[in-house]
Amino acid sequence: MKFTGKVLATLCLLPAANVLADTTSYPLTLSNCGQEISFQSAPDNIVTVGQSATEILYALGLSDRVTGTSVWFNPVLPEFRDVNADIERIADNDPSFEAVVNKKPELVAAQYEWHVGPSGSVATREQFHDLGIATYIMPADCDTKDNTTGGDGTRTDAFSPDSVYKGITELATIFDVQDAGDALVADFEAREKEAVARAERLELPEDLSAVFWFSSPEQVADPYVAGQLGAPGYMMDKLGIRNVVESDEEWPVVGWETIARADPDIIVVAHMDRRRYPADDVEKKLEFLENDPVAREMSAVKNGNIIEMDAHAMSATMRTILGLETLADALSTLSFDQ
């Protein structure tokens, strides 16, 4: 069965709380992913390196300040399609340092430290700061996470959407739109609670298990699957599902023989537009599961318990709540009879 995330229809122009949020007092100084950043006023020109930062800024009503975007896994959320169409996409994947700087941003907002960080593939934060360009890294990629271990990093503690909400709140503070930030967080908290309640009403099997497959470097190669402590681990924990992958790495490589021995009840496969690896294509994933002599023997494949989910929802982003909703909705349609 195929499932994708629900349309997020309530992000924009959410009503403010009855009590007005505090206004920002400039100059503003924040601690962000181990560095202090300061703002004399709200930046007017932003370039984003990562879809998470882009969509949060759009959701806060700040699209008119975004002049360039990059690093996309899935199409922009439908409610942002029109505003996004008028903003330059510098690159589908990693932009060059020069391409970002040429937009003359006052702020570069990045989703991952491996793009903008100590060994950033785009640049270090210092390279931007030397040019007078502020940088902001989404806290979901550095809170409870060690990015010095290589690859996609290792979680030091379980991901919580609180780190996403922290990013929303801090960006709202930087741009003095706290009411929009508060409303956005409240909406996500309510949706999270409702998704969990829907799953609880299903009375699922006690030892229900799953694996989240993001991609693979080659069609028949060992896959990148979700570790215990990342966003998929959060989804599984919230809905009472056991992750068959025991690693704390964000996206460890695990052999299909090992996964098959664990025999997950559910396989969640990432759907994305990116085509860096052959298995980025969800149809290639499904073809592999149906035809590989090891994978096709798993219970999840035999029972048709395969769920498609936006790849971006599998990362630590605001779309993680959409992923939680996707998973909760899908569980009501699956069969776990042996």
Side-chain angles (χ1 to χ4, degrees), residues 69-111:
T69 70
S70 57
V71 189
W72 290 84
F73 288 97
N74 293 102
V76 71
L77 289 167
E79 57 271 30
F80 304 136
R81 200 173 288 147
D82 289 344
V83 297
N84 186 68
D86 294 329
I87 298 170
E88 180 183 356
R89 181 176 294 198
I90 299 172
D92 291 334
N93 295 304
D94 297 14
S96 68
F97 176 60
E98 292 77 12
V100 175
V101 170
N102 284 344
K103 298 298 293 182
K104 297 180 170 52
E106 295 173 54
L107 172 66
V108 172
Q111 179 173 342

Side-chain angles (χ1 to χ4, degrees), residues 301-317:
V301 179
K302 288 183 174 181
N303 293 331
N305 292 348
I306 300 171
I307 303 168
E308 289 185 29
M309 183 181 290
D310 282 356
H312 199 46
M314 292 187 183
S315 295
T317 69

Side-chain angles (χ1 to χ4, degrees), residues 3-6 307-309 322-331:
F3 293 83
T4 55
K6 285 183 176 180
I307 303 168
E308 289 185 29
M309 183 181 290
L322 278 70
L324 185 71
E325 291 177 324
T326 296
L327 189 54
D329 289 345
L331 289 172

